[in-house]
Amino acid sequence: MPPPADIVKVAIEWPGAFPKLMEIDQKKPLSAIIKEVCEGWSLGNPENFALQIADATNFYITEKNRNDIKNGSILRLTTSPYQTALQLHERIQSSSMDAKLEALKDLANASRDITFAQEFINLDGISLLTQMVESGTERYQKLQKIMKPCFGDLLSFTLTAFVELMDHGIVSWDTFSVAFIKKIASYVNKSAMDTAVLQRSLAILESMVLNSQDLYHKVAQEITIGQLIPHLQGTDQDIQTYTIAVINALFLKAPEEKRQEMAHILAQKQLRSIILSNVIRSPTPINDEMAHQLYVLQVLNFNLLEDRMMTKMDPQDQAQRDIIFELRRIAFDVECEPNNSGSIEKRKSMYTRDYKKLGFINHVNPAVDFTQIPPGMLALDNMLYFAKHHQDAYIRIVLENSSREDKHECPFGRSSIELTKMLCEILKVGELPSENCHDFHPMFFTHDRAFEEFFCICIQLLNKTWKEMRATSEDFNKVMQVVREQIMRALTLKPNSLDQFKSRLQNLSYTEILKIRQSERMNQEDFQSRPILELREKIQPEIMELIKQQRLNRLCEGTCFRKISSRRRQDKFWYCRLSPNHKVLHYGDLEESPQGEVPHDSLQDKLPVADIKAVITGKDCPHMKEKGALKQNKEVLELAFSVLYESDEYLNFIAPDKHEYCVWTDGLNALLGKEMTSDYTKSDMDTLLSMEMKLRLLDLENIQIPEVPPPIPKEPSNYDFVYDCN
């Protein structure tokens, strides 16, 4: 007879004694179980003891997480979180350097556990650590030359413990003094600093800036861009990532009036070229976290254009009107006419003619064209940049179009305004960066005026596409749609430079776009006629049932899951599979990753499907609610799901990859009679539905399908023609 579900068989260790095998009744209070264990070893004061998981995490067993204990788990009897916190609080104040170092090392390790962290923080432990950083380490500064490794370790463990404790979100960042901020900033400003100390100091500064506007001002006074940039010139990608994260945080929290000033400083310090040579073109592959920080920096740089994009032109402002005069002068090489040359009417007529050639909508007063926001004055800035820095191309476009037949000219002014607006939409100018996006473009880090150069390439593309389409003024919107598609397709290929982007566009001519569109239409089978739509609706439930059966079959085969603690990866495994009758989930721990399927009888734990209440995914999962120390692992977050059953108990999973995540969440939802909504279900549905539609709509070219199968031919007289492989 199998043991009751609430009884868990475990081994419990105690230093200096043989491990004890015992059965834990999960219905009993944890204090009663600890008391029973203490009595077995004749230990008094059971309230001073607690149980820990005997692995590298050493996490305490609490009433909240006790259901994670599995059959065969090894636990350790140890001092309670309060007692441990009290002891470490005293030990880190030891006068002995070695004892202090060992205590800080233990504290850094223990602080990962929120149960311990709460107790240590209640003892005012954060204040003690900040005091040690502010003044306590001063005593060892004189010894730094002869004890440098020891000093570096001491500081590293202190800051690690601080970061781990703050990461639980128990204490507000607003509570820290200027002296503490100065000290942390000094570790970043030093050229030769221990890598671990530097990494944690940068992480602390980033968290301070992002969590409080008041702290932003204090940090901004202590740290300069010039002091951060040298950290980008090394080879440690983690240090580079944290450095860019701090720059991004300062950029993001800076008041609007200071952002342009900060951008000017970044340009002076050649941040862009340093990132290009030391990060983007480094032999080390760019990881996801670095890609995200580069994306954020890219977005923040483009957001500097928002002010000009939302500024209307003032038709009365002479300086702004002079820019339009300059565009006319460069295009037609017109000398400035003296005031008395010809009548006013003649000059107005000449200006109107030239402004028409330049392609403005309002030929009499082109300034009115720039009152539309967006793109506002940004369009005029782009036009002037193009006229000055690509003068030959500018003159060629203007003169080419001014000599074309009426209606076939590509209006340079109107095109530039609409193109600038389109580029702002594509690059999402003015929008805050997304938390999970890694979509940075290397080519925007290859030029100090990347947006303007981007515009110059695209305006020439627009003129080329206009000619290829033989467009007239009525086709303006169609041309803009094609140009948008050309730009988006070229950007998807992630060109490494602006020249590479330009060559990608050369391969995406209007003819090529037509071919791509036709090919996609043929592949999609997305016909809108009523009979086709009715056929799709009829087939869809059949396909969904097929996908459901495939998901359930995969669950019956089972999957090996890696055990991951809330902070660090462990090389331990567990296996879960669905019974063939789809009524029970069988699961259990494994010593190593299995080869092939694991039989049901070797999986001791069971969970009836009827007891499952819900499937929870992502950050809502109980095992995902604790943050990581220095940065949250977004990949793990996307693979996490939990099964809620009975009295608010959970079975927590972290899938080995995205495919298994989709298979299991789909399968579990199917078991609960809910909709399967994963990306893979949508993809499978599109693929299978498309194939089925193509088969059913296959043109048989008047070939008659016989109602009876053809007759089987007679056997041959011999089989000499058969080749014997043996």
Side-chain angles (χ1 to χ4, degrees), residues 1-12 20-29 32-34 36-37 51 66 69-73 75:
M1 186 176 174
D6 294 320
I7 303 297
V8 183
K9 294 181 178 180
V10 298
I12 299 179
K20 180 180 290 188
L21 296 174
M22 70 176 290
E23 292 183 351
I24 290 178
D25 186 349
Q26 292 285 36
K27 289 181 180 177
K28 275 188 180 180
I33 294 168
I34 293 169
E36 185 183 334
V37 174
L51 290 172
R66 62 183 295 177
I69 304 172
K70 305 297 178 190
N71 276 322
S73 296
L75 308 182

Side-chain angles (χ1 to χ4, degrees), residues 26 46 68 70 81 101 159 215 286 289 306 343 386 393 411 422 473 559 589 634 638:
Q26 292 285 36
D68 292 341
K70 305 297 178 190
L101 184 63
L159 293 179
L215 280 176
I286 292 174
E289 189 60 33
E306 186 182 13
S343 65
F386 181 50
M422 182 201 292
S473 53
T559 301
D589 293 342
K634 293 174 184 150
E638 290 172 358

Side-chain angles (χ1 to χ4, degrees), residues 634-688:
K634 293 174 184 150
E635 290 177 10
V636 171
L637 196 64
E638 290 172 358
L639 300 175
F641 62 98
S642 298
V643 172
L644 171 64
Y645 63 98
E646 284 185 350
S647 54
D648 294 333
E649 294 183 3
Y650 294 90
L651 188 61
N652 297 320
F653 298 77
I654 293 178
D657 53 48
K658 187 71 177 175
H659 182 265
E660 288 295 320
Y661 170 83
C662 292
V663 165
W664 275 85
T665 51
D666 281 345
L668 291 168
N669 280 321
L671 286 171
L672 298 179
K674 295 182 179 178
E675 193 178 347
M676 299 184 292
T677 56
S678 77
D679 294 340
Y680 276 84
T681 294
K682 291 172 188 171
S683 172
D684 289 349
M685 173 60 78
D686 291 342
T687 304
L688 294 171

Side-chain angles (χ1 to χ4, degrees), residues 714-725:
K714 291 180 181 179
E715 287 192 26
S717 58
N718 63 62
Y719 289 90
D720 293 344
F721 56 86
V722 177
Y723 178 74
D724 188 357
C725 296

Side-chain angles (χ1 to χ4, degrees), residues 413-441:
R414 183 186 175 191
S415 298
S416 298
I417 292 166
E418 290 301 320
L419 179 65
T420 301
K421 184 180 176 182
M422 182 201 292
L423 297 184
C424 289
E425 289 169 1
I426 289 171
L427 299 176
K428 298 180 180 176
V429 174
E431 293 184 23
L432 286 174
S434 166
E435 286 184 13
N436 300 318
C437 188
H438 311 105
D439 189 24
F440 86 97
H441 293 278

